[in-house]
């Protein structure tokens, strides 16, 4: 892979991910979209692939969607389509574990509800409206930046 920290428009991928989040894409979509051109993946396809992982997996507040976005891209970079290739599977899992470990070290967790300071998920599948109040009470834009920064570092290494 010929990797660059900037997207085809010359924007740092970390900044692009935050910009996508601020435009209204969910956390998983924002990270995945910022890197999808590296794998000749149409943005509309990547957005659909990543859409279910926002809000900690369908708004269940489990694994942070920004981390899921990292995992999607790591899968494209290191995954295998051979069910018997245990070596590549293991390599992929190691890279995902490294990414999550770095994210947890930087942010204290990779569990959405913990990152948001919630005792439990809200219990609703309804996506919140993106208002100025939403952005003030959620650390998600910075979590997206964190995930994109970690992913940028990892992609430079592989």
């Amino acid at each position: 892979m010929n990797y660059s920290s900037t997207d085809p428009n010359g924007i740092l991928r970390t900044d692009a991910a935050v910009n996508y989040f601020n435009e209204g894409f969910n956390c998983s979509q924002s990270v995945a979209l910022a890197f999808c051109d590296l794998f000749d993946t149409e943005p509309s396809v990547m957005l659909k692939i990543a859409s279910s992982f926002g809000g900690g997996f369908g708004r269940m507040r489990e694994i942070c969607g920004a981390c899921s976005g990292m995992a999607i891209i790591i899968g494209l970079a290191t995954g295998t389509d051979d069910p018997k290739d245990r070596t590549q599977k293991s390599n992929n899992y190691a890279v995902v574990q490294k990414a999550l470990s770095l994210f947890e070290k930087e942010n204290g967790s990779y569990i959405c509800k913990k990152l948001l300071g919630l005792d439990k998920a809200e219990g609703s599948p309804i996506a919140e409206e993106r208002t100025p109040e939403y952005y003030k009470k959620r650390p998600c834009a910075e979590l997206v930046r964190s995930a994109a920064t970690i992913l940028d570092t990892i992609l430079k290494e592989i």
Side-chain angles (χ1 to χ4, degrees):
M1 171 177 48
N2 189 11
Y3 182 70
S4 172
S5 292
T6 57
D7 70 11
N9 297 315
I11 299 170
L12 284 173
R13 292 180 190 282
T14 52
D15 291 339
V18 173
N19 291 343
Y20 291 136
F21 183 78
N22 289 333
E23 287 175 21
F25 292 109
N26 74 35
C27 41
S28 180
Q29 290 173 313
S30 299
V31 172
L33 185 59
F35 294 85
C36 76
D37 65 280
L38 296 169
F39 305 96
D40 295 323
T41 305
E42 288 295 322
S44 62
V45 172
M46 183 58 73
L47 289 169
K48 288 179 182 180
I49 289 168
S51 65
S52 298
F53 299 100
F57 210 93
R59 211 162 180 272
M60 297 292 294
R61 305 300 185 209
E62 296 299 331
I63 298 286
C64 170
C67 292
S68 295
M70 278 195 306
I72 290 167
I73 297 300
I74 291 168
L76 289 170
T78 67
T80 179
D81 57 2
D82 179 353
K84 294 180 178 152
D85 187 348
R86 291 180 55 228
T87 300
Q88 194 58 34
K89 279 184 187 181
S90 298
N91 178 60
N92 170 257
Y93 295 161
V95 176
V96 170
Q97 288 180 14
K98 178 181 179 179
L100 287 176
S101 177
L102 290 169
F103 188 90
E104 181 177 37
K105 183 178 180 182
E106 186 171 313
N107 298 292
S109 182
Y110 51 79
I111 303 298
C112 178
K113 63 183 157 239
K114 289 182 181 179
L115 294 165
L116 296 181
L118 304 172
D119 293 328
K120 60 180 182 161
E122 293 96 335
S124 170
I126 307 302
E128 290 184 64
E129 182 180 355
R130 297 288 182 90
T131 64
E133 291 77 32
Y134 173 92
Y135 289 106
K136 284 180 189 174
K137 72 179 181 177
R138 295 278 192 240
C140 302
E142 286 311 308
L143 296 171
V144 163
R145 181 178 301 284
S146 174
T149 300
I150 291 166
L151 187 55
D152 178 67
T153 300
I154 285 173
L155 292 175
K156 287 175 184 172
E157 295 173 356
I158 55 174

